[in-house]
Amino acid sequence: IGKFLDEFLTQEELMSDHLLPFANIMYEHSDRDDAAAAAVLHGVLNRVLWNQIVQNPNIKYFLFEELCADPIHRFKSIFKDFNLPYSALTLDRHKNLCFRNVAPIESYHPHAIARNSRSMASNWKYQLSYSDIGRVKNIWREFEIPLYADESFW
């Protein structure tokens, strides 16, 4: 994970446009490969994306947790927002991807598709200790992105 932070730190334009206020925390975690370093990388990526959303109000964004909570309804809504057809075939494909052959949570890997969509938004919490969750929360808040501000998320 640290190597990705190192790479971001070498990108002068990206740093000056978006990430300079976060350089210290990026350096601090650039030689690590733990939950805290992953939280910094997540913060870096999302800070850049959030800046784009703020600068361009025409950008639509969707929260992962909302997609997980009700994947079929949310994806139908996204298709509608983008004027895309949502056919019976598309619905079947989404149902198969979201609900067919669901694997137990403990067997998930980052890019698995046979998993319970509704559990994905909170699954990460079961893989971390309480203190790691606290560190992740504190790191996330350093990036000042107005998502996940509600304590109930954590």
Side-chain angles (χ1 to χ4, degrees):
I1 296 170
K3 67 182 179 182
F4 296 111
L5 295 172
D6 274 337
E7 180 61 29
F8 280 117
L9 286 162
T10 67
Q11 303 298 317
E12 291 179 26
E13 193 172 343
L14 186 64
M15 290 299 296
S16 66
D17 289 350
H18 302 282
L19 299 174
L20 200 54
F22 313 105
N24 287 342
I25 194 169
M26 292 169 69
Y27 280 117
E28 181 184 331
H29 291 84
S30 65
D31 63 348
R32 297 171 58 178
D33 192 28
D34 57 6
V40 172
L41 181 59
H42 187 68
V44 163
L45 295 169
N46 282 278
R47 179 75 259 172
V48 173
L49 292 171
W50 191 256
N51 286 353
Q52 296 304 307
I53 290 168
V54 169
Q55 292 169 8
N56 184 350
N58 293 324
I59 294 177
K60 293 180 182 280
Y61 69 94
F62 306 93
L63 297 178
F64 178 70
E65 293 75 16
E66 291 176 356
L67 294 172
C68 291
D70 191 357
I72 303 303
H73 173 75
R74 296 294 182 185
F75 275 102
K76 282 182 180 179
S77 175
I78 290 170
F79 274 60
K80 183 178 179 181
D81 285 348
F82 290 102
N83 296 316
L84 298 170
Y86 196 91
S87 67
L89 184 61
T90 305
L91 174 62
D92 286 344
R93 179 76 172 142
H94 280 157
K95 284 182 178 178
N96 283 333
L97 288 171
C98 294
F99 307 118
R100 157 183 80 89
N101 298 325
V102 174
I105 290 174
E106 61 274 3
S107 71
Y108 290 178
H109 60 85
H111 305 291
I113 59 170
R115 56 189 179 189
N116 183 341
S117 292
R118 290 190 176 115
S119 70
M120 292 310 301
S122 60
N123 182 51
W124 66 274
K125 295 178 199 177
Y126 303 110
Q127 299 172 19
L128 298 176
S129 69
Y130 183 74
S131 62
D132 280 341
I133 292 172
R135 277 193 287 279
V136 167
K137 175 176 67 173
N138 291 336
I139 289 168
W140 175 258
R141 289 185 173 158
E142 285 192 47
F143 286 91
E144 300 176 340
I145 301 166
L147 302 174
Y148 314 121
D150 190 276
E151 196 63 32
S152 66
F153 173 78
W154 304 98

